[in-house]
Amino acid sequence: MFPEYDIIVVGAGHAGCEAAAAAAKMGSKILLATMNMNTIAQMSCNPAMGGVAKGQIVREVDALGGMSGIITDETMIQFRMLNKSKGPAMWSPRAQSDRMRFAEAWRLTLEQTDNVDFWQEMVIGIEVEGGRAVGVRTSLGITIRGKAVVLTNGTFLNGIIHIGEKQMGGGRSAEKSAKGITEQLIQLGFEAGRMKTGTPPRVDGRSLDYSRMEEQFGDENPSKFSYTETTPLAKQRSCFITYTNSDVHEILKTGFEKSPMFQGRIQGLGPRYCPSIEDKINRFADRDRHQIFVEPEGWNTVEVYVNGFSSSLPEDVQMKALQKIVGFENAKMFRPGYAIEYDFFPPTQLNLTLETKVVENLYFAGQINGTTGYEEAACQGLMAGINAHYKINEKAPFILKRSEAYIGVLIDDLVNKGTDEPYRMFTSRAEHRILLRQDNADIRLTKLGYGLGLADESRMAAVDKKITESADIIAYLNNKPIEPGDINRMLEQVGSAPIVEKQRAGQLIKRPNIEIKHIAEAVPAVAEYLSKFKADSIEQAEIAVKYESYIVKEHTMAAKMGELENYNIKEKIDYRNIPALSAEAREKLLRVQPETIGQASRISGVSPADISVLMVYLGK
């Protein structure tokens, strides 16, 4: 009935879609197995992509040739660049998406991608022969052969939905959970755990009074995610902000005795940085209000996502509390919020390629690895798809360093440190974040994507042009003399000290409150020169000039840390036989089996003294 596939991808969420698309474009024959083809790329939680650090990940996925940025650009209803008041390392793109159009665009993209087949059914097990994954088994008893398998099961593995005292099996609202895979993997020697996440109620936008809320507009000149020629937004939908209050909190407290979280019915650990509303009012009892973001779910639908009100309290308590929020007095609920508990597999059981250490040619990506977020899932799916394709074609693995991409930081953190709570990316996790900006993801990664066969020649040409143009602008700014009479009036207007003798434009731009646009407005010759360049080339040049010393320092630090990555640990070591190592280091190193000294240095519990011992042992 089925041919033998190169790669079978199980699950069609954000990780599964990126894995299937990437491996197919690289030439592998793909089967994408999902329990419901109508929910491919479903935005299970909030209808948005990007945000702080997450936006950088989407830009990186796009630069490598993934699809999430393009799909987001095609279906977003609002765009905002967050943290513009801070340095460029913190600038983070975020888009409000049309939930239905996003899923539809992903499905149509996959249907139009050569080498992708689909099968709608539950996968209940992996076919393993000689310690290697060779296919999957379905609930109908069908065996489908494949050279590699990528599991992207999201929250479906033995998923349980909690609403007050009510429990029901499910991987998502109105969708059944997946059975069988966890039990088999444990038998094969994997360690499993439980995590939980939650979602807020959805309400009818027609029943809300937006006049009583604060309107949140998109950017005046909206940008986009993809470095390709996607069309920027011509119009946008607003979001709104309102707040809880003491009345809301008191009503929510009446449901605590039926809360599955407070009564111990939920065993899994939830996301620290996205707590439920009941958790917030319990942990932060001194605060009399919490912010609520009122987010439309699309261009035409009236369904609204109540961001900040995630809850697993009884539905009647949720409803009563909602109607005490300003603007929600007459709110009608479409469906209540709920918590979902699901199986995950600690990611220390993976190699940096996302291939499992226990079973060869078996890859995990997304929430199965203990992460949370569409963006974190998408980048893992992309990397798993690339590496599965390379593995079955006997090519060297594709691994991004921490100094190359947030994607490299995420995977390195997971594999070397593990996670005991849903892992979410933050800029603070990246020690080289001044190098890993959203604006230069194309410069950092497009050449790699081109080498993979995922980024085409037009992308490469655009990046080369951007590099050339920004270099020309940098040279111009560093050599262009500016006379005091041309610039001092502008300097005084922005509160910067006037100059007494001519200075190079580049020196002026290094001032904290001076931007390239200020100089262009004051000096017509500069404006005329810049008019022939694209905005992104100008932005790239400005950042390079203004933050030159920081960028040079970061490159130096990255190079020093990179030296440790060059010390390969080629053989498998029994670390129990190195008594000079601490007991914890022996245990952790034995379990992880790092491939380089650099990787060993990032394992939680391995000290600098342990690294010195290890380098002596290896003769380094």
Side-chain angles (χ1 to χ4, degrees):
M1 180 176 176
F2 290 94
E4 180 176 358
Y5 288 92
D6 292 318
I7 301 170
I8 300 171
V9 179
V10 181
H14 301 265
C17 288
E18 287 287 4
K25 284 195 268 185
M26 294 173 75
S28 282
K29 185 69 176 173
I30 306 298
L31 179 69
L32 181 57
T34 174
M35 291 196 292
N36 186 351
M37 287 187 63
N38 293 322
T39 55
I40 287 174
Q42 178 84 298
M43 291 180 132
S44 307
C45 202
N46 63 319
M49 288 291 282
V52 176
K54 292 168 174 280
Q56 283 87 328
I57 290 176
V58 179
R59 283 270 166 94
E60 291 178 351
V61 168
D62 180 76
L64 287 167
M67 292 302 302
S68 289
I70 293 173
I71 299 290
T72 301
D73 286 355
E74 290 176 349
T75 60
M76 64 183 172
I77 63 176
Q78 189 196 82
F79 181 93
R80 295 175 65 221
M81 185 68 75
L82 307 181
N83 290 333
K84 280 292 285 185
S85 62
K86 300 180 180 179
M90 299 295 290
W91 298 352
S92 301
R94 184 185 188 273
Q96 200 70 25
S97 296
D98 185 310
R99 183 190 300 277
M100 290 182 286
R101 289 186 63 202
F102 184 93
E104 178 189 42
W106 249 120
R107 174 169 173 167
L108 294 177
T109 295
L110 289 167
E111 288 181 357
Q112 293 158 19
T113 300
D114 293 339
N115 296 325
V116 177
D117 289 347
F118 301 86
W119 184 249
Q120 179 175 291
E121 193 190 348
M122 184 190 296
V123 170
I124 61 170
I126 313 301
E127 287 291 299
V128 179
E129 295 176 3
R132 176 177 298 192
V134 295
V136 299
R137 295 189 310 278
T138 75
S139 57
L140 290 176
I142 300 169
T143 296
I144 308 172
R145 303 281 294 187
K147 297 174 185 173
V149 176
V150 180
L151 293 184
T152 66
N153 302 83
T155 60
F156 281 79
L157 294 179
N158 293 321
I160 297 177
I161 292 173
H162 297 265
I163 303 175
E165 295 179 306
K166 300 167 186 173
Q167 291 182 9
M168 60 211 83
R172 195 159 48 206
S173 178
E175 296 182 59
K176 61 185 178 182
S177 57
K179 308 288 186 182
I181 290 178
T182 296
E183 293 72 18
Q184 182 198 9
L185 291 177
I186 290 173
Q187 288 181 351
L188 288 168
F190 285 90
E191 175 191 350
R194 295 286 276 177
M195 282 189 175
K196 80 103 178 171
T197 188
T199 192
R202 295 346 186 246
V203 300
D204 188 336
R206 297 169 298 183
S207 65
L208 304 182
D209 184 356
Y210 294 106
S211 68
R212 304 192 65 200
M213 307 179 201
E214 174 188 338
E215 190 165 5
Q216 187 178 48
F217 301 97
D219 287 351
E220 185 176 348
N221 297 302
S223 184
K224 54 197 185 69
F225 275 100
S226 181
Y227 294 102
T228 61
E229 295 299 320
T230 53
T231 304
L233 280 173
K235 62 175 183 175
Q236 303 186 66
R237 281 202 69 176
S238 291
C239 297
F240 294 83
I241 297 174
T242 184
Y243 298 87
T244 63
N245 52 58
S246 57
D247 289 342
V248 174
H249 298 178
E250 290 305 313
I251 292 172
L252 290 171
K253 289 175 184 177
T254 66
F256 281 9
E257 63 181 16
K258 296 182 179 180
S259 165
M261 183 174 64
F262 294 146
Q263 300 306 316
R265 289 189 294 277
I266 294 178
Q267 301 299 316
L269 288 169
R272 179 194 304 261
Y273 303 102
C274 189
S276 65
I277 187 64
E278 55 264 35
D279 194 22
K280 280 191 276 192
I281 65 174
N282 184 55
R283 284 167 52 193
F284 308 108
D286 57 319
R287 295 185 59 179
D288 57 6
R289 70 175 193 171
H290 294 281
Q291 200 168 45
I292 300 294
F293 295 94
V294 184
E295 301 177 341
E297 300 232 342
W299 285 114
N300 300 312
T301 181
V302 299
E303 188 170 359
V304 168
Y305 182 87
V306 190
N307 196 341
F309 203 86
S310 175
S311 180
S312 59
L313 293 174
E315 64 276 10
D316 60 328
V317 175
Q318 292 185 40
M319 187 73 241
K320 290 175 185 176
L322 272 176
Q323 291 183 335
K324 291 295 182 178
I325 296 174
V326 172
F328 278 69
E329 291 83 358
N330 299 305
K332 296 179 181 178
M333 186 188 290
F334 280 171
R335 60 184 186 274
Y338 60 85
I340 182 165
E341 200 174 7
Y342 56 94
D343 294 336
F344 85 106
F345 292 83
T348 50
Q349 300 170 102
L350 303 175
N351 297 310
L352 290 170
T353 59
L354 299 181
E355 181 184 25
T356 70
K357 296 175 181 177
V358 178
V359 177
E360 193 176 354
N361 289 11
L362 176 63
Y363 295 77
F364 291 171
Q367 285 178 284
I368 192 172
N369 290 335
T371 61
T372 181
Y374 309 142
E375 304 82 2
E376 289 88 345
C379 73
Q380 290 175 73
L382 177 71
M383 297 297 285
I386 290 168
N387 279 302
H389 171 83
Y390 269 8
K391 177 70 183 292
I392 64 176
N393 287 284
E394 300 181 346
K395 293 186 177 182
F398 180 72
I399 297 170
L400 292 170
K401 300 174 185 175
R402 295 180 71 92
S403 58
E404 288 181 305
Y406 272 91
I407 297 172
V409 174
L410 181 146
I411 293 175
D412 190 80
D413 277 355
L414 292 176
V415 171
N416 292 314
K417 300 177 182 177
T419 184
D420 56 7
E421 62 183 47
Y423 179 102
R424 176 181 177 179
M425 180 52 71
F426 292 101
T427 52
S428 58
R429 297 191 190 273
E431 60 272 31
H432 303 300
R433 56 186 174 273
I434 191 67
L435 303 180
L436 308 182
R437 307 184 309 274
Q438 57 83 30
D439 61 272
N440 71 350
D442 55 342
I443 293 174
R444 289 186 279 119
L445 300 174
T446 300
K447 188 174 182 179
L448 296 176
Y450 182 69
L452 293 165
L454 294 176
D456 60 22
E457 290 187 6
S458 65
R459 276 179 176 256
M460 199 65 245
V463 171
D464 288 339
K465 183 179 180 182
K466 180 178 177 180
I467 293 171
T468 301
E469 287 190 348
S470 59
D472 289 345
I473 297 168
I474 292 168
Y476 174 81
L477 294 172
N478 285 335
N479 288 286
K480 174 64 178 174
I482 304 293
E483 298 287 347
D486 294 332
I487 202 75
N488 277 345
R489 184 177 179 185
M490 180 277 294
L491 293 176
E492 291 173 2
Q493 288 174 343
V494 298
S496 189
I499 59 176
V500 296
E501 58 185 26
K502 65 182 177 183
Q503 284 191 14
R504 307 290 181 186
Q507 284 301 112
L508 291 169
I509 288 172
K510 290 181 187 295
R511 295 188 179 192
N513 52 344
I514 301 297
E515 299 177 23
I516 199 169
K517 67 179 182 181
H518 295 133
I519 297 177
E521 289 169 0
V523 184
V526 174
E528 182 180 358
Y529 177 80
L530 295 176
S531 65
K532 57 189 177 184
F533 297 104
K534 293 183 66 174
D536 59 348
S537 298
I538 298 172
E539 179 185 70
Q540 195 68 208
E542 181 176 19
I543 291 170
V545 170
K546 184 179 282 290
Y547 298 95
E548 179 184 17
S549 60
Y550 299 97
I551 292 171
V552 169
K553 186 185 296 184
E554 205 68 59
H555 276 299
T556 302
M557 186 183 300
K560 287 182 178 178
M561 295 180 71
E563 292 174 4
L564 294 177
E565 303 299 338
N566 295 327
Y567 293 143
N568 293 318
I569 305 174
K570 296 181 179 178
E571 71 273 19
K572 188 172 183 178
I573 298 174
D574 188 344
Y575 292 95
R576 292 171 295 186
N577 296 330
I578 310 178
L581 291 171
S582 68
E584 183 178 6
R586 290 198 298 271
E587 176 190 337
K588 298 286 183 65
L589 290 166
L590 187 66
R591 184 169 75 237
V592 175
Q593 287 292 331
E595 298 175 7
T596 68
I597 296 291
Q599 184 184 354
S601 71
R602 294 189 295 277
I603 297 172
S604 176
V606 177
S607 70
D610 293 319
I611 294 300
S612 297
V613 170
L614 183 57
M615 291 182 74
V616 170
Y617 175 84
L618 293 170
K620 301 295 185 183

